[in-house]
Amino acid sequence: MHKDIATPMRTKEILKKYGFSFKKSLGQNFLIDPNILRNITESAGLTKETGSIEIGPGIGALTEHLARSSKKVLAFEIDQRLLPILEDTLSPYDNVKVVHQDILKADVQELIETEFKDIKDIMVVANLPYYVTTPIITQLLTKRLPLRGIVVMLQKEVADRISAKPGTKEYGSLSIAIQYYTKAETVMVVPKTVFMPQPNVDSAVIRLTLHDEPIVDVDDEEFFFQVTRASFAQRRKTLLNNLTSQLPNGKGAKEEILEALGQIGIDPGRRGETLSIEEFAALSNALYPIINK
């Protein structure tokens, strides 16, 4: 068994050997606790039949755990300076492919088809750079990639928003978008002390399990998300105020919006954060013909 990369001493050794300095702009915080990495890997339910996709492998701390538990690992690294380090630290593993690309710009579907040819079970497992967490998760889901799920470490505050329930202050359009595609659970909260350098915020690991079918029926997906974003635009405002001020032609359609709310039994004086995903689906289906005529 090889010495774990993720210990404070080994991490320091590797960084010193390569004269590596952290780039704040890339949100680089490396994990230095093997137990946390084991927990992340276990919560992803990986087997020797799994293809794992990692984003931001850093010096390979999580990557080696994924390599030990999966059939193959596809890791996206944006920082060129890390490529020679990864080649060195991951040399014991022949089932890892590091791609020097920004995951937000990469054709992930095509890479899955070429790199995971005979693999049906695909998981994204990553310690995400905090400044791009939401765009990355959103893109992985909206692109309808053939994933079983996503297990990621992110800012605790974002994790709270993702798994929030109606009526809480964390609940918002992000909670609804994620719930639309997945079942979200927080696996564990992670202290700052297990990172090098230490971030200013607490972190959490969340697990998103994709639904076979979206849990609500909507006539137009894009419009559904537009309605949820509009409903939360100004949290103190009522649903009616937000919808009329935020939706295209909303101001001119105030009477029709009121009527539609009445028909589906939603009080126009409620606030966006009190609506369940089912109510948002009913709302978007009722407003679609009004706003898009």
Side-chain angles (χ1 to χ4, degrees):
M1 198 63 163
H2 304 282
K3 257 196 325 182
D4 272 359
I5 294 168
T7 62
M9 215 169 102
R10 181 92 200 279
T11 302
K12 280 182 182 143
E13 265 171 36
I14 294 166
L15 297 176
K16 193 173 166 199
K17 177 178 172 182
Y18 286 91
F20 182 84
S21 56
F22 292 95
K23 257 193 193 164
K24 219 178 159 114
S25 64
L26 293 176
Q28 288 167 332
N29 302 91
F30 297 164
L31 277 161
I32 49 172
D33 183 330
N35 292 326
I36 301 266
L37 292 165
R38 272 191 287 276
N39 286 343
I40 293 173
T41 313
E42 276 166 24
S43 58
L46 308 175
T47 71
K48 287 295 176 193
E49 297 305 307
T50 306
S52 294
I53 296 175
E54 188 187 7
I55 300 146
I59 57 171
L62 175 59
T63 325
E64 80 173 345
H65 283 262
L66 299 177
R68 290 170 191 166
S69 313
S70 320
K71 183 169 188 175
K72 185 169 184 182
V73 183
L74 178 62
F76 290 85
E77 180 50 65
I78 199 169
D79 187 350
Q80 197 159 0
R81 303 171 307 151
L82 288 164
L83 303 180
I85 303 181
L86 287 164
E87 203 167 314
D88 175 6
T89 58
L90 299 173
S91 57
Y93 307 99
D94 59 3
N95 59 342
V96 177
K97 180 175 175 86
V98 177
V99 183
H100 176 39
Q101 268 186 320
D102 177 347
I103 184 96
L104 291 170
K105 295 183 182 140
D107 187 339
V108 184
Q109 180 68 46
E110 190 191 3
L111 279 159
I112 286 174
E113 284 163 20
T114 51
E115 298 301 329
F116 292 162
K117 259 197 204 60
D118 48 349
I119 297 176
K120 297 277 176 281
D121 182 48
I122 301 171
M123 284 295 287
V124 171
V125 189
N127 168 24
L128 288 180
Y130 290 171
Y131 71 104
V132 284
T133 303
T134 312
I136 287 175
I137 295 176
T138 310
Q139 187 157 312
L140 291 170
L141 296 175
T142 50
K143 286 209 163 158
R144 291 283 202 267
L145 298 170
L147 308 173
R148 168 163 58 88
I150 299 173
V151 172
V152 285
M153 167 96 72
L154 36 70
Q155 213 168 316
K156 182 178 178 296
E157 184 196 329
V158 180
D160 291 344
R161 280 168 45 210
I162 282 175
S163 54
K165 302 280 177 273
T168 60
K169 70 173 194 307
E170 289 78 26
Y171 184 68
S173 53
L174 179 65
S175 329
I176 294 155
I178 302 285
Q179 278 176 36
Y180 180 76
Y181 294 107
T182 73
K183 174 182 178 239
E185 348 165 50
T186 298
V187 176
M188 60 178 163
V189 175
V190 180
K192 305 168 190 179
T193 47
V194 301
F195 294 95
M196 182 185 294
Q198 287 189 21
N200 313 330
V201 292
D202 282 327
S203 305
V205 175
I206 59 160
R207 177 170 52 219
L208 306 174
T209 310
L210 272 80
H211 301 306
D212 296 332
E213 295 287 322
I215 52 169
V216 287
D217 269 333
V218 298
D219 298 337
D220 185 284
E221 231 168 63
E222 210 172 302
F223 184 68
F224 168 72
F225 293 124
Q226 195 180 358
V227 168
T228 58
R229 283 195 301 272
S231 304
F232 288 96
Q234 289 178 292
R235 292 185 78 100
R236 308 186 86 92
K237 283 194 166 178
T238 65
L239 197 55
L240 181 64
N241 275 341
N242 269 330
L243 294 171
T244 49
S245 65
Q246 300 294 324
L247 289 176
N249 325 319
K251 283 192 175 62
K254 188 170 183 175
E255 289 309 312
E256 289 173 279
I257 292 174
L258 250 176
E259 200 178 315
L261 284 164
Q263 278 166 354
I264 54 174
I266 292 178
D267 177 350
R270 283 172 67 182
R271 292 205 170 109
E273 72 222 38
T274 67
L275 272 68
S276 66
I277 189 167
E278 291 76 14
E279 289 179 303
F280 274 116
L283 179 62
S284 103
N285 292 345
L287 294 180
Y288 187 67
I290 296 169
I291 299 295
N292 294 285
K293 54 181 176 198

